[in-house]
Amino acid sequence: MVVGGLAACGDDDDGATDPDPSSEPTESDRVLVLMSDSGSSLVPGEPGRIPLGVGDASGALVEDAPATLAFTVQDVDGNPVETGIEVARRDAGLPRSYYPLLLTTPEPGFYRAVTEVDGSPVDAAFEVRAVEEIAIPRPGQPLPPTPTPTVGDPRCVDPICTQEPPCPLHEVGLESVLGTSPTAVLVSTPAFCQTAICGPVLDLFVEAQAATPDVTFIHVEVYESAEEVEAEGPEATLAPAVAAWQLPYEPCLFLVAADGTVAERLDVIYDSDELAEALARLTA
């Protein structure tokens, strides 16, 4: 479901996403669920991350997902691009599990992640677009210093936080710290998240702040007006930073180095362990 130009929480991450209409369905009672817009997440020739889940026949994520999956990545002709990629299930502090597949694709096009669940093959097709088609700031690029709402200056965003009660990560505006210290910026909207993951990842983000004092933590809401979202739904106006960064989905976590460049991005979902590992890399 597209919300104001965004795919809410990875385009309904409880349903399988298959960008290739000619793909053949698997015969398993389990499916591999693509949880993000891979075309905006992956850059040809560069390491990338796409979160995947194990769902039932309807695409709803299951609670008994395997502890580990071994993936093969194939091109559109079925030729292996990468093989034997072991990915552990992630779910620390979350109500659902996922598998962050790290891979490098050689060129734009359609690919397929293939694995086995309970002895049966499952797969998910995904797209990799040409780098010039990717607008969202990616690792190695500067994060635009768009001002973000704060308690002292909401910048016409109402409310600045839809978490109940509001989270404490709205004291500092991005423009005042970007380029001066490591910064973690989470874009999420707990009140309007279609798949109920924005709140849990924000909770983990708030908890991580105490253990990472050298990083400035900032939460950014997706919409400019909650009242407008309730009245107009997907056509509601995006908050300035979300519009400026051209985000095609949320949640989205930017981990920004002290020089203002994006060091890493965690799209759609992360657990407490993956978040802690990424923050450690940011401050190493």
Side-chain angles (χ1 to χ4, degrees), residues 34 36-52 71 73 81-82 85-87 98-107 111 113 126-129 134 136-140 249 262-267 269 274 281:
L34 183 65
S36 69
D37 172 8
S38 60
S40 297
S41 303
L42 300 175
V43 178
E46 297 181 10
R49 168 190 180 273
I50 53 173
L52 298 159
F71 289 92
V73 177
V81 174
E82 293 196 35
I85 309 173
E86 296 279 344
V87 185
Y98 69 101
Y99 302 82
L101 176 61
L102 305 179
L103 73 162
T104 301
T105 51
E107 59 187 7
Y111 295 84
F126 59 93
E127 183 182 7
V128 177
R129 300 192 186 108
I134 302 172
I136 180 173
R138 62 185 192 276
Y249 47 75
V262 178
E264 193 171 347
R265 218 178 61 221
L266 297 181
D267 296 334
I269 190 170
E274 192 179 16
R281 288 191 293 271

Side-chain angles (χ1 to χ4, degrees), residues 1-3 6-13 35 189 192-195 198 223 248-251 268:
M1 180 177 181
V2 176
V3 180
L6 275 72
C9 298
D11 200 8
D12 192 356
D13 62 23
M35 299 171 71
T189 180
F192 302 110
C193 196
Q194 298 296 309
T195 51
C198 292
Y223 296 103
Y249 47 75
E250 47 84 22
V268 177

Side-chain angles (χ1 to χ4, degrees), residues 14-282:
D14 276 355
T17 301
D18 189 346
D20 182 359
S22 65
S23 63
E24 293 292 334
T26 61
E27 296 179 358
S28 173
D29 61 354
R30 291 288 186 257
V31 297
L32 197 57
V33 179
L34 183 65
M35 299 171 71
S36 69
D37 172 8
S38 60
S40 297
S41 303
L42 300 175
V43 178
E46 297 181 10
R49 168 190 180 273
I50 53 173
L52 298 159
V54 174
D56 61 21
S58 70
L61 295 178
V62 301
E63 296 183 358
D64 59 344
T68 304
L69 291 178
F71 289 92
T72 293
V73 177
Q74 301 174 346
D75 65 18
V76 71
D77 297 318
N79 301 311
V81 174
E82 293 196 35
T83 61
I85 309 173
E86 296 279 344
V87 185
R89 183 186 68 225
R90 298 275 193 166
D91 56 13
L94 290 180
R96 66 190 62 185
S97 61
Y98 69 101
Y99 302 82
L101 176 61
L102 305 179
L103 73 162
T104 301
T105 51
E107 59 187 7
F110 286 105
Y111 295 84
R112 188 177 302 278
V114 182
T115 188
E116 286 190 0
V117 177
D118 299 331
S120 298
V122 294
D123 56 69
F126 59 93
E127 183 182 7
V128 177
R129 300 192 186 108
V131 65
E132 60 268 17
E133 298 178 20
I134 302 172
I136 180 173
R138 62 185 192 276
Q141 293 185 323
L143 184 68
T146 309
T148 59
T150 64
V151 173
D153 186 359
R155 298 184 179 278
C156 298
V157 174
D158 183 24
I160 61 172
C161 187
T162 63
Q163 184 82 300
E164 291 293 343
C167 82
L169 305 180
H170 300 270
E171 296 296 328
V172 177
L174 176 65
E175 71 285 0
S176 68
V177 296
L178 191 65
T180 66
S181 67
T183 305
V185 185
L186 174 63
V187 178
S188 72
T189 180
F192 302 110
C193 196
Q194 298 296 309
T195 51
I197 201 63
C198 292
V201 298
L202 177 56
D203 288 340
L204 296 181
F205 193 59
V206 172
E207 292 170 6
Q209 182 186 33
T212 322
D214 294 335
V215 175
T216 300
F217 285 66
I218 296 174
H219 170 227
V220 178
E221 274 289 336
V222 169
Y223 296 103
E224 192 171 77
S225 165
E227 183 177 346
E228 185 182 351
V229 176
E230 292 168 353
E232 301 186 18
E235 301 306 316
T237 305
L238 297 176
V242 179
W245 301 337
Q246 300 186 58
L247 295 184
Y249 47 75
E250 47 84 22
C252 183
L253 173 59
F254 292 94
L255 297 153
V256 187
D259 64 0
T261 61
V262 178
E264 193 171 347
R265 218 178 61 221
L266 297 181
D267 296 334
V268 177
I269 190 170
Y270 53 78
D271 72 350
S272 59
D273 291 341
E274 192 179 16
L275 174 60
E277 293 161 10
L279 289 169
R281 288 191 293 271
L282 182 65

